[in-house]
Amino acid sequence: MYCGICHTDLHHVRNDWGITMYPVVPGHEITGVITKVGSNVKNFKLGDRVGVGCLAASCLECEFCKSSQENYCDQIQLTYNGIFWDGSITYGGYSEMLVADHRYVVRIPETLPMDAAAPLLCAGITVFSPMKDNGLLKSPGKRIGIVGLGGLGHVAVKFGKAFGHHVTVISTSPSKEREARERLDADDFIVSTNSKQMQAGKRTLDLILDTVSANHSLGPILELLKVNGTLVAVGAPDRPFELPSFPLIFGKRTVKGSMTGGMRETQEMMDVCGKYNITCDIEVVEPHKINEALDRLARNDVRYRFVIDIAGNSSRI
Ligand code: NAP
Ligand code: ZN
């Protein structure tokens, strides 16, 4: 029914990472209703409201698969631009139907609309997972920073507020400040190109999530962390981060990464969204407008996620 347009789709369409196997059918923020089930599938039935994210397959035998961290299996196959067990290339959610292994399908809570829930399958879980991993679900009152107010960033702000934290947005777009504060309820907003604001923010944050899709230096951002603070990089620019040693050393700071999330955690994230009524701020586009939407995404002109109305169903849900 719906598929979000993640910046990863744009990276693939443009072959930013040099790994695209054309023709590519992107899309890993997929929601829909089940129309067929295999004979061995017991946990889903026709008509169920479900979602599929980034994972198509994993080995099911390694320590990561066994602990439902399938996202870290070294034989992981992704929903698109992956090579499936039978040698075929996987095609993603910019399509009218999708065949998925039931192990990589999650339920969408009844209270969430299918269109605004779609981006949770990648943007949502990608920011939820490091927040959980760094103890933010159960210990409110931390000061967290979200770098880049895009698809991932805006959901991160919503999670941060729902879990009781003080949330600072660090952005290159002064035009996003008002709605960040008013609509997303961010507590603070730093324009990263404003050296005064960056100076005033030094050593104020416990944890930073960097969601930026473009090449940039981590140095000035690291300065915003308290001593012993952690920066989790989830954005995936096509060139290495600039990582100067002084802000690392002088603040005993940590930089680490995080890759989407496991299946158990993805369902947990969905259920949390159902509980707190967290959905994405979306602009729905028809399939023939996909190229236009990708161009606008490249220009940072989206608030905050395009979602393709694959089946032309928006009025019927
Ligand atoms: P997005 O919606 O385009 O958001 C990225 C944000 O980065 C923009 O809104 C913008 O925020 C900021 N930005 C853009 N150009 C910039 C520049 N030149 N310098 C500094 N900031 C800039 O993208 P997204 O869908 O959230 O994805 C973000 C990144 O995460 C992509 O690289 C994507 O591939 C990656 N990703 C990783 C995972 C994972 O598992 N780790 C999962 C999904 C996506 P401001 O206007 O606020 O500056
Ligand atoms: Zn994605």
Side-chain angles (χ1 to χ4, degrees), residues 6-8 11 17 122 126 148-153 170-173 176 211-216 234-237 258-260 297 300 302 304-305:
C6 178
H7 205 111
T8 298
H11 288 307
W17 299 328
C122 173
T126 298
L149 194 61
L152 270 57
I170 300 123
S171 171
T172 57
S173 308
K176 293 180 182 173
T211 75
V212 172
S213 52
N215 299 310
H216 62 295
V234 288
S258 187
M259 148 75 184
T260 63
L297 178 62
N300 196 6
V302 51
Y304 285 94
R305 198 52 131 200

PDB file of all heavy atoms in Angstrom, residues 6-8 11 17 122 126 148-153 170-173 176 211-216 234-237 258-260 297 300 302 304-305, ligand 1:
ATOM      1  N   CYS A   6      13.341   6.654   1.702  1.00  0.00           N
ATOM      2  CA  CYS A   6      14.470   6.852   2.611  1.00  0.00           C
ATOM      3  C   CYS A   6      15.632   7.457   1.820  1.00  0.00           C
ATOM      4  O   CYS A   6      15.755   7.222   0.619  1.00  0.00           O
ATOM      5  CB  CYS A   6      14.868   5.489   3.180  1.00  0.00           C
ATOM      6  SG  CYS A   6      16.282   5.517   4.288  1.00  0.00           S
ATOM      7  N   HIS A   7      16.495   8.195   2.508  1.00  0.00           N
ATOM      8  CA  HIS A   7      17.652   8.744   1.798  1.00  0.00           C
ATOM      9  C   HIS A   7      18.549   7.618   1.264  1.00  0.00           C
ATOM     10  O   HIS A   7      19.272   7.802   0.280  1.00  0.00           O
ATOM     11  CB  HIS A   7      18.442   9.703   2.700  1.00  0.00           C
ATOM     12  CG  HIS A   7      19.234  10.714   1.930  1.00  0.00           C
ATOM     13  ND1 HIS A   7      18.941  12.059   1.903  1.00  0.00           N
ATOM     14  CD2 HIS A   7      20.311  10.556   1.116  1.00  0.00           C
ATOM     15  CE1 HIS A   7      19.804  12.687   1.114  1.00  0.00           C
ATOM     16  NE2 HIS A   7      20.647  11.795   0.625  1.00  0.00           N
ATOM     17  N   THR A   8      18.486   6.469   1.892  1.00  0.00           N
ATOM     18  CA  THR A   8      19.240   5.312   1.385  1.00  0.00           C
ATOM     19  C   THR A   8      18.787   4.963  -0.035  1.00  0.00           C
ATOM     20  O   THR A   8      19.596   4.531  -0.865  1.00  0.00           O
ATOM     21  CB  THR A   8      19.041   4.107   2.331  1.00  0.00           C
ATOM     22  OG1 THR A   8      19.570   4.461   3.607  1.00  0.00           O
ATOM     23  CG2 THR A   8      19.743   2.863   1.827  1.00  0.00           C
ATOM     24  N   HIS A  11      20.655   7.274  -2.202  1.00  0.00           N
ATOM     25  CA  HIS A  11      22.054   6.825  -2.320  1.00  0.00           C
ATOM     26  C   HIS A  11      22.150   5.694  -3.356  1.00  0.00           C
ATOM     27  O   HIS A  11      23.090   5.639  -4.143  1.00  0.00           O
ATOM     28  CB  HIS A  11      22.583   6.294  -0.983  1.00  0.00           C
ATOM     29  CG  HIS A  11      22.842   7.331   0.085  1.00  0.00           C
ATOM     30  ND1 HIS A  11      23.614   8.444  -0.102  1.00  0.00           N
ATOM     31  CD2 HIS A  11      22.452   7.384   1.395  1.00  0.00           C
ATOM     32  CE1 HIS A  11      23.695   9.137   1.034  1.00  0.00           C
ATOM     33  NE2 HIS A  11      22.994   8.520   1.959  1.00  0.00           N
ATOM     34  N   TRP A  17      27.246   4.898  -3.182  1.00  0.00           N
ATOM     35  CA  TRP A  17      28.153   4.005  -2.461  1.00  0.00           C
ATOM     36  C   TRP A  17      28.870   3.029  -3.398  1.00  0.00           C
ATOM     37  O   TRP A  17      29.634   2.176  -2.937  1.00  0.00           O
ATOM     38  CB  TRP A  17      27.367   3.209  -1.387  1.00  0.00           C
ATOM     39  CG  TRP A  17      26.708   4.062  -0.339  1.00  0.00           C
ATOM     40  CD1 TRP A  17      27.152   5.259   0.145  1.00  0.00           C
ATOM     41  CD2 TRP A  17      25.489   3.782   0.367  1.00  0.00           C
ATOM     42  NE1 TRP A  17      26.294   5.743   1.106  1.00  0.00           N
ATOM     43  CE2 TRP A  17      25.259   4.856   1.264  1.00  0.00           C
ATOM     44  CE3 TRP A  17      24.572   2.736   0.345  1.00  0.00           C
ATOM     45  CZ2 TRP A  17      24.154   4.924   2.115  1.00  0.00           C
ATOM     46  CZ3 TRP A  17      23.468   2.793   1.185  1.00  0.00           C
ATOM     47  CH2 TRP A  17      23.260   3.868   2.063  1.00  0.00           C
ATOM     48  N   CYS A 122      12.056   1.855   8.625  1.00  0.00           N
ATOM     49  CA  CYS A 122      13.510   2.087   8.564  1.00  0.00           C
ATOM     50  C   CYS A 122      13.888   3.278   9.435  1.00  0.00           C
ATOM     51  O   CYS A 122      14.619   3.138  10.404  1.00  0.00           O
ATOM     52  CB  CYS A 122      14.011   2.284   7.139  1.00  0.00           C
ATOM     53  SG  CYS A 122      15.753   2.768   7.120  1.00  0.00           S
ATOM     54  N   THR A 126      15.780   2.666  12.988  1.00  0.00           N
ATOM     55  CA  THR A 126      17.200   3.055  12.942  1.00  0.00           C
ATOM     56  C   THR A 126      17.560   4.026  14.071  1.00  0.00           C
ATOM     57  O   THR A 126      18.698   4.036  14.538  1.00  0.00           O
ATOM     58  CB  THR A 126      17.535   3.678  11.565  1.00  0.00           C
ATOM     59  OG1 THR A 126      17.304   2.691  10.569  1.00  0.00           O
ATOM     60  CG2 THR A 126      18.973   4.140  11.487  1.00  0.00           C
ATOM     61  N   GLY A 148      20.801  16.713  12.111  1.00  0.00           N
ATOM     62  CA  GLY A 148      20.078  16.499  10.857  1.00  0.00           C
ATOM     63  C   GLY A 148      18.605  16.263  11.119  1.00  0.00           C
ATOM     64  O   GLY A 148      18.232  15.233  11.674  1.00  0.00           O
ATOM     65  N   LEU A 149      17.785  17.257  10.756  1.00  0.00           N
ATOM     66  CA  LEU A 149      16.342  17.084  10.981  1.00  0.00           C
ATOM     67  C   LEU A 149      15.679  16.667   9.668  1.00  0.00           C
ATOM     68  O   LEU A 149      15.052  17.452   8.975  1.00  0.00           O
ATOM     69  CB  LEU A 149      15.730  18.383  11.520  1.00  0.00           C
ATOM     70  CG  LEU A 149      14.326  18.245  12.105  1.00  0.00           C
ATOM     71  CD1 LEU A 149      14.310  17.282  13.282  1.00  0.00           C
ATOM     72  CD2 LEU A 149      13.770  19.601  12.533  1.00  0.00           C
ATOM     73  N   GLY A 150      15.880  15.398   9.333  1.00  0.00           N
ATOM     74  CA  GLY A 150      15.252  14.830   8.142  1.00  0.00           C
ATOM     75  C   GLY A 150      14.343  13.692   8.550  1.00  0.00           C
ATOM     76  O   GLY A 150      13.744  13.717   9.630  1.00  0.00           O
ATOM     77  N   GLY A 151      14.266  12.673   7.679  1.00  0.00           N
ATOM     78  CA  GLY A 151      13.395  11.526   7.956  1.00  0.00           C
ATOM     79  C   GLY A 151      13.754  10.841   9.265  1.00  0.00           C
ATOM     80  O   GLY A 151      12.913  10.654  10.149  1.00  0.00           O
ATOM     81  N   LEU A 152      15.018  10.469   9.423  1.00  0.00           N
ATOM     82  CA  LEU A 152      15.443   9.812  10.658  1.00  0.00           C
ATOM     83  C   LEU A 152      15.376  10.784  11.833  1.00  0.00           C
ATOM     84  O   LEU A 152      14.866  10.454  12.899  1.00  0.00           O
ATOM     85  CB  LEU A 152      16.889   9.292  10.524  1.00  0.00           C
ATOM     86  CG  LEU A 152      17.098   7.873   9.991  1.00  0.00           C
ATOM     87  CD1 LEU A 152      16.469   7.665   8.636  1.00  0.00           C
ATOM     88  CD2 LEU A 152      18.589   7.522   9.927  1.00  0.00           C
ATOM     89  N   GLY A 153      15.905  11.989  11.605  1.00  0.00           N
ATOM     90  CA  GLY A 153      16.027  12.957  12.695  1.00  0.00           C
ATOM     91  C   GLY A 153      14.700  13.327  13.327  1.00  0.00           C
ATOM     92  O   GLY A 153      14.589  13.408  14.557  1.00  0.00           O
ATOM     93  N   ILE A 170      20.405  19.721  16.067  1.00  0.00           N
ATOM     94  CA  ILE A 170      21.573  20.404  15.495  1.00  0.00           C
ATOM     95  C   ILE A 170      21.413  20.320  13.975  1.00  0.00           C
ATOM     96  O   ILE A 170      21.396  19.235  13.399  1.00  0.00           O
ATOM     97  CB  ILE A 170      22.884  19.726  15.947  1.00  0.00           C
ATOM     98  CG1 ILE A 170      22.976  19.787  17.483  1.00  0.00           C
ATOM     99  CG2 ILE A 170      24.104  20.398  15.321  1.00  0.00           C
ATOM    100  CD1 ILE A 170      23.127  18.483  18.159  1.00  0.00           C
ATOM    101  N   SER A 171      21.218  21.483  13.357  1.00  0.00           N
ATOM    102  CA  SER A 171      20.743  21.499  11.971  1.00  0.00           C
ATOM    103  C   SER A 171      21.485  22.534  11.141  1.00  0.00           C
ATOM    104  O   SER A 171      21.993  23.522  11.665  1.00  0.00           O
ATOM    105  CB  SER A 171      19.241  21.850  12.011  1.00  0.00           C
ATOM    106  OG  SER A 171      18.744  22.095  10.726  1.00  0.00           O
ATOM    107  N   THR A 172      21.514  22.286   9.827  1.00  0.00           N
ATOM    108  CA  THR A 172      22.067  23.304   8.928  1.00  0.00           C
ATOM    109  C   THR A 172      20.970  24.241   8.419  1.00  0.00           C
ATOM    110  O   THR A 172      21.261  25.155   7.655  1.00  0.00           O
ATOM    111  CB  THR A 172      22.707  22.646   7.679  1.00  0.00           C
ATOM    112  OG1 THR A 172      21.725  21.839   7.015  1.00  0.00           O
ATOM    113  CG2 THR A 172      23.898  21.786   8.057  1.00  0.00           C
ATOM    114  N   SER A 173      19.721  23.989   8.828  1.00  0.00           N
ATOM    115  CA  SER A 173      18.572  24.720   8.268  1.00  0.00           C
ATOM    116  C   SER A 173      17.860  25.571   9.308  1.00  0.00           C
ATOM    117  O   SER A 173      16.971  25.072  10.007  1.00  0.00           O
ATOM    118  CB  SER A 173      17.566  23.727   7.682  1.00  0.00           C
ATOM    119  OG  SER A 173      18.181  22.837   6.798  1.00  0.00           O
ATOM    120  N   LYS A 176      14.120  25.398   9.842  1.00  0.00           N
ATOM    121  CA  LYS A 176      13.412  24.298  10.510  1.00  0.00           C
ATOM    122  C   LYS A 176      13.204  24.546  12.009  1.00  0.00           C
ATOM    123  O   LYS A 176      12.566  23.750  12.690  1.00  0.00           O
ATOM    124  CB  LYS A 176      14.178  22.982  10.309  1.00  0.00           C
ATOM    125  CG  LYS A 176      14.207  22.483   8.863  1.00  0.00           C
ATOM    126  CD  LYS A 176      14.978  21.166   8.731  1.00  0.00           C
ATOM    127  CE  LYS A 176      15.038  20.701   7.275  1.00  0.00           C
ATOM    128  NZ  LYS A 176      15.919  19.529   7.093  1.00  0.00           N
ATOM    129  N   THR A 211      22.447  11.843  12.032  1.00  0.00           N
ATOM    130  CA  THR A 211      21.661  11.245  10.939  1.00  0.00           C
ATOM    131  C   THR A 211      21.977  11.878   9.585  1.00  0.00           C
ATOM    132  O   THR A 211      21.233  11.699   8.631  1.00  0.00           O
ATOM    133  CB  THR A 211      20.144  11.404  11.204  1.00  0.00           C
ATOM    134  OG1 THR A 211      19.752  12.775  10.948  1.00  0.00           O
ATOM    135  CG2 THR A 211      19.762  11.036  12.615  1.00  0.00           C
ATOM    136  N   VAL A 212      23.061  12.625   9.517  1.00  0.00           N
ATOM    137  CA  VAL A 212      23.332  13.410   8.304  1.00  0.00           C
ATOM    138  C   VAL A 212      23.753  12.508   7.130  1.00  0.00           C
ATOM    139  O   VAL A 212      24.603  11.638   7.278  1.00  0.00           O
ATOM    140  CB  VAL A 212      24.413  14.475   8.595  1.00  0.00           C
ATOM    141  CG1 VAL A 212      24.862  15.172   7.317  1.00  0.00           C
ATOM    142  CG2 VAL A 212      23.887  15.483   9.605  1.00  0.00           C
ATOM    143  N   SER A 213      23.169  12.787   5.983  1.00  0.00           N
ATOM    144  CA  SER A 213      23.414  11.961   4.787  1.00  0.00           C
ATOM    145  C   SER A 213      24.614  12.444   3.976  1.00  0.00           C
ATOM    146  O   SER A 213      25.069  11.751   3.073  1.00  0.00           O
ATOM    147  CB  SER A 213      22.169  12.019   3.904  1.00  0.00           C
ATOM    148  OG  SER A 213      21.820  13.382   3.687  1.00  0.00           O
ATOM    149  N   ALA A 214      25.109  13.643   4.295  1.00  0.00           N
ATOM    150  CA  ALA A 214      26.165  14.250   3.473  1.00  0.00           C
ATOM    151  C   ALA A 214      27.501  14.238   4.220  1.00  0.00           C
ATOM    152  O   ALA A 214      27.544  14.086   5.444  1.00  0.00           O
ATOM    153  CB  ALA A 214      25.779  15.686   3.130  1.00  0.00           C
ATOM    154  N   ASN A 215      28.573  14.421   3.443  1.00  0.00           N
ATOM    155  CA  ASN A 215      29.912  14.433   4.047  1.00  0.00           C
ATOM    156  C   ASN A 215      30.054  15.621   4.995  1.00  0.00           C
ATOM    157  O   ASN A 215      29.636  16.721   4.684  1.00  0.00           O
ATOM    158  CB  ASN A 215      30.958  14.519   2.945  1.00  0.00           C
ATOM    159  CG  ASN A 215      30.861  13.327   2.021  1.00  0.00           C
ATOM    160  OD1 ASN A 215      30.840  12.189   2.494  1.00  0.00           O
ATOM    161  ND2 ASN A 215      30.761  13.572   0.733  1.00  0.00           N
ATOM    162  N   HIS A 216      30.636  15.363   6.154  1.00  0.00           N
ATOM    163  CA  HIS A 216      30.811  16.441   7.137  1.00  0.00           C
ATOM    164  C   HIS A 216      31.844  16.018   8.176  1.00  0.00           C
ATOM    165  O   HIS A 216      32.211  14.844   8.259  1.00  0.00           O
ATOM    166  CB  HIS A 216      29.479  16.791   7.804  1.00  0.00           C
ATOM    167  CG  HIS A 216      28.861  15.670   8.589  1.00  0.00           C
ATOM    168  ND1 HIS A 216      28.412  14.512   8.014  1.00  0.00           N
ATOM    169  CD2 HIS A 216      28.627  15.521   9.916  1.00  0.00           C
ATOM    170  CE1 HIS A 216      27.917  13.704   8.936  1.00  0.00           C
ATOM    171  NE2 HIS A 216      28.041  14.286  10.106  1.00  0.00           N
ATOM    172  N   VAL A 234      24.466   7.205  12.457  1.00  0.00           N
ATOM    173  CA  VAL A 234      23.575   6.353  11.651  1.00  0.00           C
ATOM    174  C   VAL A 234      23.514   6.837  10.206  1.00  0.00           C
ATOM    175  O   VAL A 234      23.198   6.066   9.305  1.00  0.00           O
ATOM    176  CB  VAL A 234      22.151   6.229  12.257  1.00  0.00           C
ATOM    177  CG1 VAL A 234      22.179   5.368  13.509  1.00  0.00           C
ATOM    178  CG2 VAL A 234      21.523   7.578  12.519  1.00  0.00           C
ATOM    179  N   GLY A 235      23.803   8.112   9.979  1.00  0.00           N
ATOM    180  CA  GLY A 235      23.869   8.628   8.614  1.00  0.00           C
ATOM    181  C   GLY A 235      25.032   7.967   7.878  1.00  0.00           C
ATOM    182  O   GLY A 235      26.031   7.596   8.503  1.00  0.00           O
ATOM    183  N   ALA A 236      24.869   7.813   6.569  1.00  0.00           N
ATOM    184  CA  ALA A 236      25.871   7.053   5.803  1.00  0.00           C
ATOM    185  C   ALA A 236      26.348   7.820   4.571  1.00  0.00           C
ATOM    186  O   ALA A 236      26.040   7.453   3.446  1.00  0.00           O
ATOM    187  CB  ALA A 236      25.287   5.704   5.401  1.00  0.00           C
ATOM    188  N   PRO A 237      27.125   8.904   4.782  1.00  0.00           N
ATOM    189  CA  PRO A 237      27.654   9.652   3.639  1.00  0.00           C
ATOM    190  C   PRO A 237      28.566   8.774   2.791  1.00  0.00           C
ATOM    191  O   PRO A 237      29.065   7.755   3.273  1.00  0.00           O
ATOM    192  CB  PRO A 237      28.477  10.778   4.298  1.00  0.00           C
ATOM    193  CG  PRO A 237      28.080  10.815   5.723  1.00  0.00           C
ATOM    194  CD  PRO A 237      27.580   9.458   6.073  1.00  0.00           C
ATOM    195  N   SER A 258      25.421   2.337  14.168  1.00  0.00           N
ATOM    196  CA  SER A 258      24.281   1.464  14.416  1.00  0.00           C
ATOM    197  C   SER A 258      23.554   1.238  13.102  1.00  0.00           C
ATOM    198  O   SER A 258      23.414   2.164  12.302  1.00  0.00           O
ATOM    199  CB  SER A 258      23.340   2.110  15.445  1.00  0.00           C
ATOM    200  OG  SER A 258      22.321   1.226  15.816  1.00  0.00           O
ATOM    201  N   MET A 259      23.120   0.016  12.877  1.00  0.00           N
ATOM    202  CA  MET A 259      22.513  -0.352  11.599  1.00  0.00           C
ATOM    203  C   MET A 259      21.090  -0.867  11.833  1.00  0.00           C
ATOM    204  O   MET A 259      20.915  -1.916  12.460  1.00  0.00           O
ATOM    205  CB  MET A 259      23.429  -1.400  10.954  1.00  0.00           C
ATOM    206  CG  MET A 259      22.797  -2.444  10.100  1.00  0.00           C
ATOM    207  SD  MET A 259      22.299  -1.810   8.499  1.00  0.00           S
ATOM    208  CE  MET A 259      21.519  -3.281   7.855  1.00  0.00           C
ATOM    209  N   THR A 260      20.097  -0.143  11.425  1.00  0.00           N
ATOM    210  CA  THR A 260      18.653  -0.443  11.595  1.00  0.00           C
ATOM    211  C   THR A 260      18.406  -1.124  12.938  1.00  0.00           C
ATOM    212  O   THR A 260      18.825  -0.612  13.967  1.00  0.00           O
ATOM    213  CB  THR A 260      18.079  -1.275  10.420  1.00  0.00           C
ATOM    214  OG1 THR A 260      18.716  -2.541  10.355  1.00  0.00           O
ATOM    215  CG2 THR A 260      18.266  -0.550   9.110  1.00  0.00           C
ATOM    216  N   LEU A 297      14.121  15.446  -2.243  1.00  0.00           N
ATOM    217  CA  LEU A 297      14.854  14.881  -1.099  1.00  0.00           C
ATOM    218  C   LEU A 297      16.338  15.260  -1.197  1.00  0.00           C
ATOM    219  O   LEU A 297      16.963  15.644  -0.209  1.00  0.00           O
ATOM    220  CB  LEU A 297      14.677  13.355  -1.075  1.00  0.00           C
ATOM    221  CG  LEU A 297      15.416  12.590   0.023  1.00  0.00           C
ATOM    222  CD1 LEU A 297      14.953  13.011   1.408  1.00  0.00           C
ATOM    223  CD2 LEU A 297      15.211  11.074  -0.143  1.00  0.00           C
ATOM    224  N   ASN A 300      17.028  18.590   0.090  1.00  0.00           N
ATOM    225  CA  ASN A 300      16.635  18.798   1.490  1.00  0.00           C
ATOM    226  C   ASN A 300      15.302  19.540   1.565  1.00  0.00           C
ATOM    227  O   ASN A 300      15.078  20.367   2.438  1.00  0.00           O
ATOM    228  CB  ASN A 300      17.745  19.561   2.238  1.00  0.00           C
ATOM    229  CG  ASN A 300      17.606  19.472   3.749  1.00  0.00           C
ATOM    230  OD1 ASN A 300      16.750  18.757   4.264  1.00  0.00           O
ATOM    231  ND2 ASN A 300      18.443  20.217   4.458  1.00  0.00           N
ATOM    232  N   VAL A 302      11.955  18.441   2.110  1.00  0.00           N
ATOM    233  CA  VAL A 302      10.863  17.528   2.506  1.00  0.00           C
ATOM    234  C   VAL A 302      10.642  17.658   4.005  1.00  0.00           C
ATOM    235  O   VAL A 302      11.581  17.803   4.772  1.00  0.00           O
ATOM    236  CB  VAL A 302      11.185  16.055   2.108  1.00  0.00           C
ATOM    237  CG1 VAL A 302      12.549  15.625   2.584  1.00  0.00           C
ATOM    238  CG2 VAL A 302      10.111  15.098   2.616  1.00  0.00           C
ATOM    239  N   TYR A 304       8.592  15.436   6.659  1.00  0.00           N
ATOM    240  CA  TYR A 304       9.991  15.062   6.758  1.00  0.00           C
ATOM    241  C   TYR A 304      10.247  13.759   6.008  1.00  0.00           C
ATOM    242  O   TYR A 304      11.365  13.309   5.957  1.00  0.00           O
ATOM    243  CB  TYR A 304      10.380  14.943   8.244  1.00  0.00           C
ATOM    244  CG  TYR A 304      10.521  16.340   8.857  1.00  0.00           C
ATOM    245  CD1 TYR A 304       9.466  16.939   9.515  1.00  0.00           C
ATOM    246  CD2 TYR A 304      11.711  17.045   8.709  1.00  0.00           C
ATOM    247  CE1 TYR A 304       9.590  18.218  10.038  1.00  0.00           C
ATOM    248  CE2 TYR A 304      11.845  18.324   9.233  1.00  0.00           C
ATOM    249  CZ  TYR A 304      10.780  18.906   9.895  1.00  0.00           C
ATOM    250  OH  TYR A 304      10.896  20.161  10.400  1.00  0.00           O
ATOM    251  N   ARG A 305       9.173  13.199   5.443  1.00  0.00           N
ATOM    252  CA  ARG A 305       9.346  11.967   4.686  1.00  0.00           C
ATOM    253  C   ARG A 305       8.319  11.900   3.564  1.00  0.00           C
ATOM    254  O   ARG A 305       7.126  12.139   3.804  1.00  0.00           O
ATOM    255  CB  ARG A 305       9.098  10.783   5.624  1.00  0.00           C
ATOM    256  CG  ARG A 305       9.613   9.448   5.193  1.00  0.00           C
ATOM    257  CD  ARG A 305      11.033   9.403   4.810  1.00  0.00           C
ATOM    258  NE  ARG A 305      11.821   8.331   5.403  1.00  0.00           N
ATOM    259  CZ  ARG A 305      13.134   8.384   5.462  1.00  0.00           C
ATOM    260  NH1 ARG A 305      13.799   9.428   4.999  1.00  0.00           N
ATOM    261  NH2 ARG A 305      13.811   7.388   5.975  1.00  0.00           N
TER     262      ARG A 305
HETATM  263  P1  NAP B   1      17.116  12.940   5.007  1.00  0.00           P
HETATM  264  O1  NAP B   1      15.664  12.864   5.262  1.00  0.00           O
HETATM  265  O2  NAP B   1      17.603  13.498   3.726  1.00  0.00           O
HETATM  266  O3  NAP B   1      17.781  13.721   6.244  1.00  0.00           O
HETATM  267  C1  NAP B   1      19.159  13.994   6.294  1.00  0.00           C
HETATM  268  C2  NAP B   1      19.361  15.343   6.969  1.00  0.00           C
HETATM  269  O4  NAP B   1      20.754  15.630   6.953  1.00  0.00           O
HETATM  270  C3  NAP B   1      18.745  16.518   6.222  1.00  0.00           C
HETATM  271  O5  NAP B   1      17.394  16.697   6.542  1.00  0.00           O
HETATM  272  C4  NAP B   1      19.581  17.676   6.723  1.00  0.00           C
HETATM  273  O6  NAP B   1      19.106  18.125   7.991  1.00  0.00           O
HETATM  274  C5  NAP B   1      20.925  17.035   6.952  1.00  0.00           C
HETATM  275  N1  NAP B   1      21.838  17.408   5.853  1.00  0.00           N
HETATM  276  C6  NAP B   1      21.639  17.262   4.529  1.00  0.00           C
HETATM  277  N2  NAP B   1      22.691  17.721   3.840  1.00  0.00           N
HETATM  278  C7  NAP B   1      23.574  18.149   4.742  1.00  0.00           C
HETATM  279  C8  NAP B   1      24.874  18.706   4.664  1.00  0.00           C
HETATM  280  N3  NAP B   1      25.468  18.934   3.488  1.00  0.00           N
HETATM  281  N4  NAP B   1      25.512  18.990   5.820  1.00  0.00           N
HETATM  282  C9  NAP B   1      24.937  18.779   6.999  1.00  0.00           C
HETATM  283  N5  NAP B   1      23.685  18.270   7.136  1.00  0.00           N
HETATM  284  C10 NAP B   1      23.038  17.945   6.021  1.00  0.00           C
HETATM  285  O7  NAP B   1      17.779  11.480   5.120  1.00  0.00           O
HETATM  286  P2  NAP B   1      17.336  10.231   6.023  1.00  0.00           P
HETATM  287  O8  NAP B   1      16.416   9.374   5.237  1.00  0.00           O
HETATM  288  O9  NAP B   1      16.972  10.704   7.371  1.00  0.00           O
HETATM  289  O10 NAP B   1      18.724   9.420   6.068  1.00  0.00           O
HETATM  290  C11 NAP B   1      19.873  10.027   6.626  1.00  0.00           C
HETATM  291  C12 NAP B   1      21.101   9.146   6.427  1.00  0.00           C
HETATM  292  O11 NAP B   1      20.960   7.955   7.201  1.00  0.00           O
HETATM  293  C13 NAP B   1      21.337   8.683   4.998  1.00  0.00           C
HETATM  294  O12 NAP B   1      22.720   8.722   4.724  1.00  0.00           O
HETATM  295  C14 NAP B   1      20.831   7.253   4.999  1.00  0.00           C
HETATM  296  O13 NAP B   1      21.435   6.447   4.009  1.00  0.00           O
HETATM  297  C15 NAP B   1      21.243   6.839   6.382  1.00  0.00           C
HETATM  298  N6  NAP B   1      20.508   5.695   6.925  1.00  0.00           N
HETATM  299  C16 NAP B   1      21.218   4.834   7.723  1.00  0.00           C
HETATM  300  C17 NAP B   1      20.561   3.781   8.326  1.00  0.00           C
HETATM  301  C18 NAP B   1      21.306   2.867   9.242  1.00  0.00           C
HETATM  302  O14 NAP B   1      20.869   1.746   9.458  1.00  0.00           O
HETATM  303  N7  NAP B   1      22.397   3.318   9.839  1.00  0.00           N
HETATM  304  C19 NAP B   1      19.201   3.585   8.092  1.00  0.00           C
HETATM  305  C20 NAP B   1      18.518   4.497   7.307  1.00  0.00           C
HETATM  306  C21 NAP B   1      19.174   5.556   6.743  1.00  0.00           C
HETATM  307  P3  NAP B   1      19.179  19.689   8.399  1.00  0.00           P
HETATM  308  O15 NAP B   1      18.414  20.411   7.330  1.00  0.00           O
HETATM  309  O16 NAP B   1      18.516  19.696   9.720  1.00  0.00           O
HETATM  310  O17 NAP B   1      20.630  20.048   8.453  1.00  0.00           O
END
